[in-house]
Amino acid sequence: MTTTYDPPRPWIASYAQGVPHELDPVSGSLVDIVDASAREYPDAVALQFFGRETSYRRLHEQIARAAAGLAAQGVKAGDPVALVLPNCPQHIVAFYAILRLGAVVVEHNPLYTPRELRKQFEDHGAKHAIVWSKVVGTVQEFPADLAVSTVISVDITRAMPLKTRFALTLPIAKAREARTALHERVSGTVPWEQIVGSNALPETHPKPSTDDLALIQYTSGTTGTPKGASLTHRNLLSNAAQARAWVPSIVRGPGCVVYAVLPMFHAYGLTLCLTFAMSMGARLVLFPRFDPDMVLEVVKKHPATFLPLVPPIADRLLKAANEKGVSLAGTEVAISGAMALPHELVVPFEAATGGFLVEGYGLSETSPVLMANPVADNRVPGTVGLPLPSTECRVVDPDDPTVDVPAGERGELVVRGPQVFGGYYGKPEETQRSFVDGWYRTGDIVQIDDAGFVRIVDRIKELIITGGFNVAPTEVENALRQHPDVADAAVVGLPSEHSGEEVVAAIVVDGDTDVDVEAIREHVRSILTPYKVPRRIFVVDELPKSLIGKVLRRQVRDRLLTLTTGG
């Protein structure tokens, strides 16, 4: 039995040239990231949005003004402040302005339904929210006992170039559709322009400390109950530093270009597209949603030095580039996460870019990146790579996580490192269950080979990962059971070449009802965000259950796989 890590670490020998084994502990706070880049590269482009550019000097000024504006609204150090925004310049400014006050960012998916958002607001209790104008009504619909005292509305079109904004005002159908998709007039809110119109916050205003709470990042537990991972400035600074160390070939400064095609409300997009990019002094190109044509227009002038993505995005981008005859050459490093990366996608993508496409792995609880394949010829397809510098991991018996399994055998991955969170916000019991002797239990079953490469072979947790997003089966099952024709339901993930997994349901109907499956899907869509809605629903006579009546999802999955593959 062992409860401590026993060197040597086999993965160290597989690190790419120039990657350090350990990193010095970080200091300061996330606020220092933009401060440093603004000092070193004041006139360099920090943000690009539909062609409009914002320099680091201007970004720094906007953050100082927004911090003062938020302070005038009553935001204080330690207060949770909700962000409900797509990728846009205002998202970056708001993120760092909140942190500048020592307050805590709480990220939210702006496409969540009122019910989904309400659960998270009930958990963190934020009284201030900065919300995309198109979805302000979602927050304003909250009941009185959950009233948010200050709702700040953000019209993201205000950050676009004037010619683009003018085009949206034209009285033609396409312009009206685009305008409706991006903006909606709202009342009863504080406009973002009022917040950034303030005088700058004095430099003497206290800054947060390294171990202060910086971010509450929600992750779906297997029960569907929201759990907020409490991430400190140290956690997030450390992960940005680890990412920088992993790609020593990428030079810090204005020559670095990062594409934010992943949503920054998601842990993956937040670290690699927001904190990492700003710490590199990079040009961060913001896309409110992934649109291959929009990305290719940017590629022509500013190829991505660093491109975080998921396999479906890589696939669609590659196909669009081939169809339109646009070269992807110059994309130096693309890192893929959230789902398995097919080798048959890696080969043509790397041929088209002349760079690397490597797979990584992480969790919201780990800021999120834990591992990545080396950006080198020794990368191993089918694995999630090697633990990052200063990251320790063990493989243990899932039934007794104090016991390590023999080298090379399957077991649960437990981890420790400066990017690993300290616990769930307001949930000490959940936190205690997630750790054993200071090691975080990932819930993933892995194997580590002799060279230190990690292969994910199973999940203890039953989360479905579709398109890079976590879906809790219980949450979808509860929504299905609310339909009057559904007596029982089981939800599982089945393999999908497009999204890693797709959400699939097996339902038992009430009596001899002739059900309309599409109507049931629409019912679920009224409760949950679209990616959680089952792509397919199968009507079955009964669901396999244990002796205590628990649905055996693994058996359900096996049966549905047989039905769908004809096996």
Side-chain angles (χ1 to χ4, degrees):
M1 179 183 296
T2 178
T3 58
T4 59
Y5 182 75
D6 186 19
R9 293 171 283 178
W11 50 83
I12 296 296
S14 298
Y15 275 10
Q17 185 175 359
V19 176
H21 301 175
E22 295 284 343
L23 297 179
D24 293 333
V26 297
S27 60
S29 72
L30 288 164
V31 174
D32 300 326
I33 285 178
V34 178
D35 287 355
S37 292
R39 283 195 306 271
E40 295 176 56
Y41 317 108
D43 298 319
V45 174
L47 310 177
Q48 179 177 322
F49 189 60
F50 288 89
R52 186 174 181 180
E53 298 175 344
T54 303
S55 70
Y56 271 98
R57 177 188 286 111
R58 176 63 174 155
L59 175 61
H60 187 264
E61 291 171 354
Q62 289 183 342
I63 290 169
R65 290 177 179 275
L70 291 174
Q73 294 295 325
V75 176
K76 305 182 299 299
D79 287 350
V81 180
L83 288 186
V84 191
L85 295 170
N87 291 3
C88 58
Q90 296 96 325
H91 194 145
I92 309 286
V93 174
F95 180 88
Y96 284 104
I98 293 166
L99 297 178
R100 177 64 183 87
L101 295 174
V104 181
V105 173
V106 192
E107 288 282 359
H108 298 278
N109 183 343
L111 299 182
Y112 266 1
T113 65
R115 186 178 306 194
E116 290 168 311
L117 269 184
R118 176 181 171 178
K119 285 182 180 179
Q120 295 181 351
F121 272 75
E122 286 173 342
D123 187 66
H124 59 66
K127 296 302 180 186
H128 300 84
I130 304 172
V131 186
W132 182 19
S133 58
K134 184 170 176 58
V135 298
V136 158
T138 302
V139 176
Q140 290 179 324
E141 289 176 17
F142 289 161
D145 63 345
L146 197 59
V148 179
S149 59
T150 306
V151 177
I152 299 164
S153 59
V154 176
D155 173 4
I156 69 172
T157 67
R158 297 290 292 267
M160 295 177 179
L162 285 174
K163 64 179 181 180
T164 305
R165 291 173 58 194
F166 175 73
L168 291 174
T169 66
L170 296 176
I172 55 178
K174 190 173 182 180
R176 283 197 299 270
E177 290 173 7
R179 185 167 63 248
T180 301
L182 294 171
H183 173 58
E184 200 167 279
R185 294 187 180 278
V186 294
S187 59
T189 65
V190 178
W192 174 250
E193 288 66 36
Q194 178 179 325
I195 300 298
V196 292
S198 305
N199 292 324
L201 189 77
E203 286 292 332
T204 54
H205 190 284
K207 292 184 177 181
S209 300
T210 312
D211 289 310
D212 285 347
L213 182 60
L215 174 70
I216 300 173
Q217 184 70 52
Y218 277 92
T219 177
S220 297
T222 53
T223 63
T225 302
K227 292 191 297 183
S230 296
L231 299 172
T232 64
H233 288 264
R234 182 183 302 279
N235 294 147
L236 295 165
L237 280 171
S238 296
N239 212 214
Q242 289 167 320
R244 290 195 303 274
W246 202 248
V247 286
S249 63
I250 296 180
V251 179
R252 185 171 181 269
C256 180
V257 180
V258 179
Y259 286 5
V261 296
L262 299 173
M264 294 186 303
F265 59 76
H266 189 281
Y268 182 18
L270 187 145
T271 288
L272 293 185
C273 302
L274 198 163
T275 56
F276 167 79
M278 295 293 96
S279 74
M280 290 290 287
R283 174 191 293 260
L284 179 63
V285 185
L286 295 159
F287 300 90
R289 59 182 175 83
F290 173 63
D291 181 322
D293 293 339
M294 194 181 299
V295 173
L296 290 177
E297 282 302 311
V298 178
V299 167
K300 295 174 185 176
K301 192 172 182 181
H302 301 289
T305 313
F306 187 74
L307 176 56
L309 43 67
V310 291
I313 287 179
D315 184 49
R316 289 180 60 193
L317 186 60
L318 184 61
K319 288 177 178 176
N322 290 336
E323 290 171 1
K324 295 182 177 296
V326 177
S327 173
L328 294 176
T331 302
E332 293 184 28
V333 179
I335 185 165
S336 175
M339 63 185 74
L341 175 64
H343 185 58
E344 55 269 25
L345 174 59
V346 175
V347 174
F349 192 92
E350 291 191 340
T353 63
F356 287 93
L357 172 59
V358 299
E359 184 170 357
Y361 162 79
L363 303 154
S364 296
E365 291 88 343
T366 61
S367 302
V369 190
L370 280 170
M371 302 175 184
N373 262 279
V375 183
D377 292 337
N378 69 323
R379 62 201 185 284
V380 179
T383 74
V384 294
L386 313 166
L388 297 186
S390 298
T391 303
E392 299 174 284
C393 70
R394 294 164 47 218
V395 183
V396 302
D397 182 343
D399 295 323
D400 185 354
T402 64
V403 177
D404 289 71
V405 302
E409 291 194 7
R410 297 183 176 194
E412 182 181 359
L413 178 70
V414 296
V415 296
R416 189 168 64 182
Q419 76 272 49
V420 178
F421 80 144
Y424 295 107
Y425 187 74
K427 289 183 168 54
E429 294 179 359
E430 291 269 14
T431 299
Q432 187 174 6
R433 284 196 293 268
S434 299
F435 286 87
V436 56
D437 295 333
W439 295 79
Y440 174 64
R441 301 187 63 177
T442 66
D444 287 318
I445 302 299
V446 306
Q447 283 178 298
I448 301 181
D449 66 19
D450 292 341
F453 286 86
V454 180
R455 188 181 304 272
I456 307 289
V457 296
D458 202 353
R459 284 202 304 270
I460 296 175
K461 300 175 181 178
E462 293 177 314
L463 286 177
I464 301 165
I465 303 179
T466 180
F469 292 98
N470 291 349
V471 177
T474 301
E475 184 179 24
V476 184
E477 290 164 358
N478 289 340
L480 284 163
R481 293 189 188 107
Q482 291 176 40
H483 191 281
D485 293 338
V486 177
D488 205 355
V491 172
V492 297
L494 296 187
S496 167
E497 61 178 308
H498 302 295
S499 58
E501 291 180 299
E502 66 178 20
V503 182
V504 179
I507 63 170
V508 177
V509 300
D510 196 2
D512 297 325
T513 307
D514 186 13
V515 298
D516 181 344
V517 169
E518 189 54 38
I520 293 175
R521 291 181 74 247
E522 286 301 315
H523 161 79
V524 176
R525 188 175 285 109
S526 71
I527 300 172
L528 302 176
T529 201
Y531 68 77
K532 298 180 183 179
V533 178
R535 296 293 299 273
R536 290 179 286 176
I537 296 178
F538 294 87
V539 180
V540 298
D541 292 333
E542 62 179 354
L543 297 173
K545 296 183 179 181
S546 68
L547 292 175
I548 60 173
K550 182 179 180 181
V551 172
L552 302 173
R553 289 200 186 100
R554 188 172 295 278
Q555 290 187 24
V556 173
R557 186 177 185 275
D558 291 344
R559 291 183 187 181
L560 294 184
L561 273 174
T562 301
L563 282 174
T564 55
T565 61

